[in-house]
PDB file of all heavy atoms in Angstrom:
ATOM      1  N   SER T 270      -5.756  30.204   2.431  1.00 95.00           N
ATOM      2  CA  SER T 270      -6.699  30.410   3.547  1.00 95.00           C
ATOM      3  C   SER T 270      -7.199  31.850   3.551  1.00 95.00           C
ATOM      4  O   SER T 270      -8.388  32.130   3.698  1.00 95.00           O
ATOM      5  CB  SER T 270      -5.973  30.086   4.871  1.00 95.00           C
ATOM      6  OG  SER T 270      -6.606  30.699   5.926  1.00 95.00           O
ATOM      7  N   ARG T 271      -6.263  32.815   3.347  1.00 89.00           N
ATOM      8  CA  ARG T 271      -6.679  34.235   3.376  1.00 89.00           C
ATOM      9  C   ARG T 271      -7.570  34.557   2.183  1.00 89.00           C
ATOM     10  O   ARG T 271      -8.510  35.343   2.284  1.00 89.00           O
ATOM     11  CB  ARG T 271      -5.454  35.115   3.374  1.00 89.00           C
ATOM     12  CG  ARG T 271      -4.765  35.088   4.722  1.00 89.00           C
ATOM     13  CD  ARG T 271      -3.641  36.103   4.794  1.00 89.00           C
ATOM     14  NE  ARG T 271      -3.029  36.038   6.120  1.00 89.00           N
ATOM     15  CZ  ARG T 271      -1.833  36.535   6.391  1.00 89.00           C
ATOM     16  NH1 ARG T 271      -1.119  37.102   5.438  1.00 89.00           N
ATOM     17  NH2 ARG T 271      -1.334  36.459   7.590  1.00 89.00           N
ATOM     18  N   MET T 272      -7.243  33.943   1.039  1.00 90.00           N
ATOM     19  CA  MET T 272      -8.048  34.209  -0.139  1.00 90.00           C
ATOM     20  C   MET T 272      -9.507  33.784   0.109  1.00 90.00           C
ATOM     21  O   MET T 272     -10.451  34.500  -0.179  1.00 90.00           O
ATOM     22  CB  MET T 272      -7.480  33.454  -1.350  1.00 90.00           C
ATOM     23  CG  MET T 272      -8.288  33.702  -2.610  1.00 90.00           C
ATOM     24  SD  MET T 272      -7.672  32.755  -3.991  1.00 90.00           S
ATOM     25  CE  MET T 272      -6.196  33.620  -4.373  1.00 90.00           C
ATOM     26  N   LEU T 273      -9.665  32.628   0.715  1.00 92.00           N
ATOM     27  CA  LEU T 273     -11.024  32.142   1.000  1.00 92.00           C
ATOM     28  C   LEU T 273     -11.745  33.067   1.978  1.00 92.00           C
ATOM     29  O   LEU T 273     -12.921  33.405   1.800  1.00 92.00           O
ATOM     30  CB  LEU T 273     -10.973  30.712   1.556  1.00 92.00           C
ATOM     31  CG  LEU T 273     -12.335  30.091   1.826  1.00 92.00           C
ATOM     32  CD1 LEU T 273     -13.133  29.881   0.527  1.00 92.00           C
ATOM     33  CD2 LEU T 273     -12.237  28.795   2.590  1.00 92.00           C
ATOM     34  N   SER T 274     -11.028  33.517   3.001  1.00 89.00           N
ATOM     35  CA  SER T 274     -11.643  34.423   3.999  1.00 89.00           C
ATOM     36  C   SER T 274     -12.065  35.723   3.321  1.00 89.00           C
ATOM     37  O   SER T 274     -13.150  36.265   3.602  1.00 89.00           O
ATOM     38  CB  SER T 274     -10.679  34.766   5.109  1.00 89.00           C
ATOM     39  OG  SER T 274     -10.374  33.614   5.826  1.00 89.00           O
ATOM     40  N   THR T 275     -11.204  36.249   2.427  1.00 82.00           N
ATOM     41  CA  THR T 275     -11.537  37.501   1.762  1.00 82.00           C
ATOM     42  C   THR T 275     -12.747  37.319   0.866  1.00 82.00           C
ATOM     43  O   THR T 275     -13.663  38.152   0.856  1.00 82.00           O
ATOM     44  CB  THR T 275     -10.329  37.964   0.885  1.00 82.00           C
ATOM     45  OG1 THR T 275      -9.175  37.967   1.708  1.00 82.00           O
ATOM     46  CG2 THR T 275     -10.535  39.330   0.314  1.00 82.00           C
ATOM     47  N   ILE T 276     -12.764  36.231   0.133  1.00 84.00           N
ATOM     48  CA  ILE T 276     -13.871  36.013  -0.829  1.00 84.00           C
ATOM     49  C   ILE T 276     -15.204  35.818  -0.089  1.00 84.00           C
ATOM     50  O   ILE T 276     -16.228  36.368  -0.492  1.00 84.00           O
ATOM     51  CB  ILE T 276     -13.565  34.819  -1.761  1.00 84.00           C
ATOM     52  CG1 ILE T 276     -12.484  35.194  -2.755  1.00 84.00           C
ATOM     53  CG2 ILE T 276     -14.812  34.334  -2.471  1.00 84.00           C
ATOM     54  CD1 ILE T 276     -12.018  34.067  -3.650  1.00 84.00           C
ATOM     55  N   THR T 277     -15.204  35.026   0.965  1.00 85.00           N
ATOM     56  CA  THR T 277     -16.475  34.695   1.610  1.00 85.00           C
ATOM     57  C   THR T 277     -16.819  35.648   2.748  1.00 85.00           C
ATOM     58  O   THR T 277     -17.966  35.684   3.197  1.00 85.00           O
ATOM     59  CB  THR T 277     -16.418  33.277   2.212  1.00 85.00           C
ATOM     60  OG1 THR T 277     -15.321  33.228   3.149  1.00 85.00           O
ATOM     61  CG2 THR T 277     -16.237  32.221   1.174  1.00 85.00           C
ATOM     62  N   GLY T 278     -15.842  36.398   3.262  1.00 79.00           N
ATOM     63  CA  GLY T 278     -16.103  37.230   4.421  1.00 79.00           C
ATOM     64  C   GLY T 278     -16.106  36.419   5.705  1.00 79.00           C
ATOM     65  O   GLY T 278     -16.458  36.922   6.774  1.00 79.00           O
ATOM     66  N   ASN T 280     -14.026  34.981   8.373  1.00 83.00           N
ATOM     67  CA  ASN T 280     -12.675  34.943   8.921  1.00 83.00           C
ATOM     68  C   ASN T 280     -12.536  33.772   9.875  1.00 83.00           C
ATOM     69  O   ASN T 280     -13.486  33.433  10.571  1.00 83.00           O
ATOM     70  CB  ASN T 280     -12.371  36.243   9.645  1.00 83.00           C
ATOM     71  CG  ASN T 280     -12.170  37.373   8.657  1.00 83.00           C
ATOM     72  OD1 ASN T 280     -11.743  37.130   7.531  1.00 83.00           O
ATOM     73  ND2 ASN T 280     -12.483  38.573   9.044  1.00 83.00           N
ATOM     74  N   GLU T 380      -6.654  44.298  -5.133  1.00 76.00           N
ATOM     75  CA  GLU T 380      -7.908  43.548  -5.110  1.00 76.00           C
ATOM     76  C   GLU T 380      -9.093  44.505  -5.055  1.00 76.00           C
ATOM     77  O   GLU T 380     -10.138  44.258  -5.683  1.00 76.00           O
ATOM     78  CB  GLU T 380      -7.917  42.579  -3.911  1.00 76.00           C
ATOM     79  CG  GLU T 380      -6.933  41.451  -4.214  1.00 76.00           C
ATOM     80  CD  GLU T 380      -6.997  40.288  -3.263  1.00 76.00           C
ATOM     81  OE1 GLU T 380      -7.465  40.495  -2.124  1.00 76.00           O
ATOM     82  OE2 GLU T 380      -6.555  39.175  -3.643  1.00 76.00           O
ATOM     83  N   GLU T 463     -10.022  46.807   5.962  1.00 87.00           N
ATOM     84  CA  GLU T 463     -10.646  45.989   4.924  1.00 87.00           C
ATOM     85  C   GLU T 463     -12.043  45.634   5.444  1.00 87.00           C
ATOM     86  O   GLU T 463     -12.164  44.973   6.465  1.00 87.00           O
ATOM     87  CB  GLU T 463      -9.834  44.727   4.739  1.00 87.00           C
ATOM     88  CG  GLU T 463      -9.954  44.094   3.380  1.00 87.00           C
ATOM     89  CD  GLU T 463      -8.792  43.144   3.157  1.00 87.00           C
ATOM     90  OE1 GLU T 463      -8.453  42.410   4.091  1.00 87.00           O
ATOM     91  OE2 GLU T 463      -8.258  43.141   2.069  1.00 87.00           O
ATOM     92  N   THR T 465     -15.892  44.028   5.028  1.00 89.00           N
ATOM     93  CA  THR T 465     -16.720  43.062   4.313  1.00 89.00           C
ATOM     94  C   THR T 465     -18.179  43.331   4.646  1.00 89.00           C
ATOM     95  O   THR T 465     -18.507  43.500   5.805  1.00 89.00           O
ATOM     96  CB  THR T 465     -16.356  41.644   4.759  1.00 89.00           C
ATOM     97  OG1 THR T 465     -14.969  41.438   4.549  1.00 89.00           O
ATOM     98  CG2 THR T 465     -17.123  40.592   3.968  1.00 89.00           C
ATOM     99  N   ILE T 476     -21.340  39.118  -1.310  1.00 82.00           N
ATOM    100  CA  ILE T 476     -20.335  39.694  -0.408  1.00 82.00           C
ATOM    101  C   ILE T 476     -19.697  40.868  -1.122  1.00 82.00           C
ATOM    102  O   ILE T 476     -19.366  40.778  -2.300  1.00 82.00           O
ATOM    103  CB  ILE T 476     -19.227  38.617  -0.164  1.00 82.00           C
ATOM    104  CG1 ILE T 476     -19.768  37.447   0.608  1.00 82.00           C
ATOM    105  CG2 ILE T 476     -18.012  39.217   0.485  1.00 82.00           C
ATOM    106  CD1 ILE T 476     -19.752  37.624   2.089  1.00 82.00           C
ATOM    107  N   GLN T 478     -16.560  43.954  -0.781  1.00 84.00           N
ATOM    108  CA  GLN T 478     -15.362  44.318  -0.029  1.00 84.00           C
ATOM    109  C   GLN T 478     -14.874  45.724  -0.383  1.00 84.00           C
ATOM    110  O   GLN T 478     -15.099  46.183  -1.495  1.00 84.00           O
ATOM    111  CB  GLN T 478     -14.230  43.325  -0.330  1.00 84.00           C
ATOM    112  CG  GLN T 478     -14.114  42.238   0.694  1.00 84.00           C
ATOM    113  CD  GLN T 478     -14.236  40.882   0.097  1.00 84.00           C
ATOM    114  OE1 GLN T 478     -14.155  40.731  -1.130  1.00 84.00           O
ATOM    115  NE2 GLN T 478     -14.450  39.887   0.911  1.00 84.00           N
TER     116      GLN T 478
END
Side-chain angles (χ1 to χ4, degrees):
S270 158
R271 286 187 180 162
M272 181 184 286
L273 182 66
S274 296
T275 308
I276 287 175
T277 58
N280 287 332
E380 288 190 337
E463 206 162 41
T465 304
I476 294 274
Q478 263 122 15

